[in-house]
């Protein structure tokens, strides 16, 4: 009976040690996950800002093309009509 009690005590001691180790690993994993989430959020924000810049640049490009087309039309009309 004493051997069985001793075995149970040793097993309990090993389980407690493993539980503490698992708890430490879980804490490290939680911290690492939080760091990853922070980095992901920053990356996502940067992508959104880049998208905003891209949309702005596309809008400017479209406006410039419209101005160029208008100027070309004016030049063609002036050349065709001979007015200055």
């Amino acid at each position: 009976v004493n051997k069985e009690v001793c075995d149970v005590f040793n097993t309990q001691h090993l389980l407690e040690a493993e539980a503490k180790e698992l708890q430490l690993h879980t804490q490290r994993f939680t911290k690492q996950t939080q760091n990853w989430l922070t980095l992901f959020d920053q990356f996502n924000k940067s992508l959104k800002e880049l998208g905003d810049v891209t949309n702005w640049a596309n809008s400017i490009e479209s406006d410039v093309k419209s101005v160029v087309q208008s100027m070309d039309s004016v030049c063609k009309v002036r050349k065709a009509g001979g007015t200055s």
Side-chain angles (χ1 to χ4, degrees), residues 25-72:
H25 286 295
T26 302
Q27 288 172 349
R28 286 187 203 133
F29 179 73
T30 300
K31 185 176 180 181
Q32 182 72 39
T33 302
Q34 289 298 327
N35 289 339
W36 289 341
L37 287 172
T38 300
L39 287 173
F40 177 78
D41 287 342
Q42 292 171 350
F43 179 69
N44 194 34
K45 182 181 176 187
S46 296
L47 284 178
K48 286 180 182 178
E49 290 173 358
L50 181 60
D52 291 344
V53 170
T54 301
N55 288 337
W56 173 81
N58 288 338
S59 176
I60 294 296
E61 181 181 18
S62 176
D63 290 348
V64 168
K65 284 180 181 179
S66 293
V67 169
V68 168
Q69 288 174 350
S70 296
M71 292 175 74
D72 282 344

